[in-house]
């Protein structure tokens, strides 16, 4: 797939159901009509060489102070840095690029969820997205005895989710490597990460909604579509059996590149050190410009055989013409195959949703994303629209395929999803690469 890189020129593909204002400067409505938003006073910087006192001194002389080391990519440190001399973010990035000291310097972009709430309460329980016709075809797979496996894991990079929701608790991960004792038993840097980690608030509480359910509704909705359990009540997901882990990075004021990168690294570590069969990461969010640091993290995950499934965006625009991140990233050059699946939203008639972004070469597949009922806090259900809702249908499909094809590589799972899609010349005259999601044969 040919995914164009555009640095700093993207219009935010916003929408939000569950987060508040974007950090520091923009509400979602204002952000939609302006340039991409970023964290004021911060940069992501990758040094050309190793992390040394001399390098840090050189950065300091240029008016930048390291706040934390996010990762090491190809032997070079990726830093989250604070601007100390009062210069603007874009001007400072340009100065650092010209210094010859760094591989790149870029804004710490901010992101929002890709959802539009359409109904406050669960009313009719019609899960059309699980049916045949223009839905995902999941019910046909279930009839054949294919309902998923607890040995297949997915990471939900999003808000947190209500892990004790009646339809989610059966598939919610409980970390066997780090029991609750105030110690970092698994040595990953996160103490008592029993359900995953909250990178937005840097704590182990991945659900912050309480019994009123005022927060983390978006992440909870996503989880229900991937894997709501078949328990004779509420909703059911594409998989009846799956294990999902929270990588919460969207908080009250949305999220940013640095925390998204840490979430991706967290899942790669769980797979590489503990052997968890993490097959895909669900990314129902978007915004910001091109980030080399975020792309590098996605490439690392791709090399670990983890798919990165991303919402195409809700601005109704062509992603071939104006890139939308993270769905426009392409890992082919770095990983040898493209691990990204970009997802558009379709409605009950199989047409592209009026809000959905599309792209003949940059958007891979359409999936149900209009009037999607799923779980929300607290112990209830609601209907949302958005490419946020389409994306977990595809993530659920990846997990379902992995359950019936043990040992399949990420590239093979991706090829199966796109190869099994229902062909379509166009969706409302606006094309995507691979047609509509169809998991009936999984």
């Amino acid at each position: 797939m040919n995914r164009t890189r555009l640095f700093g020129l993207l219009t935010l593909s916003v929408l939000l159901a569950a987060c508040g204002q974007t950090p520091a400067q923009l509400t979602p409505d204002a952000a939609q009509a302006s340039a991409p938003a970023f964290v004021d006073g911060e940069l992501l910087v990758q040094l050309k060489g190793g992390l040394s006192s001399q390098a840090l001194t050189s950065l300091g002389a240029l008016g930048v102070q390291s706040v934390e080391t996010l990762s090491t990519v190809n032997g070079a440190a990726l830093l989250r840095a604070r601007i100390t001399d009062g210069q603007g973010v874009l001007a400072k990035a340009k100065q650092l690029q010209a210094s010859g000291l760094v591989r790149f310097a870029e804004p710490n972009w901010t992101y929002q969820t890709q959802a539009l709430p359409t109904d406050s309460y669960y009313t009719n329980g019609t899960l059309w997205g699980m049916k045949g016709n223009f839905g995902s075809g999941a019910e046909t797979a279930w009839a054949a005895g294919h309902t998923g496996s607890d040995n297949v894991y997915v990471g939900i990079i999003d808000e947190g989710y209500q892990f004790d929701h009646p339809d989610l608790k059966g598939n919610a991960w409980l970390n066997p490597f780090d029991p609750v004792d105030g110690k970092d038993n698994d040595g990953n840097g996160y103490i008592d990460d029993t359900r995953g980690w909250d990178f937005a608030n840097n704590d182990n509480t991945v659900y912050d909604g309480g019994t009123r359910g005022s927060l983390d509704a978006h992440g909870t909705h996503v989880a229900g579509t991937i894997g709501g359990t078949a328990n004779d009540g509420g909703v059911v997901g594409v998989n009846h059996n799956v294990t999902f882990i929270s990588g919460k990075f969207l908080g009250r004021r949305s999220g940013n590149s640095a925390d998204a990168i840490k979430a991706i690294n967290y899942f790669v570590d769980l797979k590489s050190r503990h052997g968890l069969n993490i097959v895909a990461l669900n990314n129902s969010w978007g915004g910001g410009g091109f980030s080399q640091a975020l792309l590098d993290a996605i490439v690392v995950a791709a090399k670990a055989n983890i798919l990165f499934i991303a919402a195409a965006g809700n601005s109704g625009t062509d992603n071939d013409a104006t890139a939308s991140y993270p769905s426009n990233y392409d890992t082919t050059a770095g990983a040898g195959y493209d691990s990204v699946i970009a997802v558009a939203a379709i409605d009950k008639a199989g047409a592209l949703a009026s809000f959905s972004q599309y792209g003949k070469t940059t958007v891979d597949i359409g999936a149900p994303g209009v009037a999607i009922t799923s779980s929300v806090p607290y112990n209830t259900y609601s209907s949302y629209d958005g490419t946020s809702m389409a994306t977990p249908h595809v993530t659920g499909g990846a997990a379902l395929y992995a359950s019936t094809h043990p040992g399949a590589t990420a590239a093979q799972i991706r090829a199966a999803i796109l190869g099994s899609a229902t062909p379509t010349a166009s969706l409302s005259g606006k094309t995507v690469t691979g047609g509509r999601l169809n998991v009936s044969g999984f």
Side-chain angles (χ1 to χ4, degrees), residues 7-12 25-26 31 34-38 107 109-110 287-290:
F7 180 88
L9 299 179
L10 171 69
T11 299
L12 271 182
Q25 62 274 68
L26 297 176
S34 67
F38 45 77
W109 300 109
T110 59
F290 174 79

Side-chain angles (χ1 to χ4, degrees), residues 6-139:
L6 297 178
F7 180 88
L9 299 179
L10 171 69
T11 299
L12 271 182
S13 50
V14 333
L15 342 149
L16 169 66
C19 296
Q21 295 183 347
T22 55
Q25 62 274 68
L26 297 176
T27 66
D29 287 343
Q32 189 169 9
S34 67
F38 45 77
V39 179
D40 191 35
E42 285 192 3
L43 290 169
L44 300 187
V45 179
Q46 187 178 27
L47 303 174
K48 281 191 172 179
L51 183 61
S52 66
S53 58
Q54 181 179 359
L56 293 176
T57 299
S58 298
L59 280 179
L62 291 171
V64 179
Q65 180 182 29
S66 174
V67 175
E68 62 177 324
T69 301
L70 297 176
S71 60
T72 300
V73 181
N74 297 325
L78 174 63
L79 307 176
R80 184 178 192 169
R82 180 184 300 113
I83 298 171
T84 58
D85 62 1
Q87 277 202 59
V89 169
L90 299 181
K92 180 58 67 176
K94 185 176 181 179
Q95 180 189 12
L96 290 178
Q97 288 284 174
S99 72
L101 178 66
V102 304
R103 177 181 172 227
F104 62 82
E106 63 188 33
N108 186 7
W109 300 109
T110 59
Y111 308 100
Q112 295 79 37
T113 58
Q114 304 285 348
L116 298 167
T118 59
D119 198 345
S120 299
Y121 302 96
Y122 173 71
T123 57
N124 60 22
T126 303
L127 300 178
W128 73 270
M130 302 298 164
K131 298 181 180 296
N133 230 356
F134 300 118
S136 65
E139 66 177 9

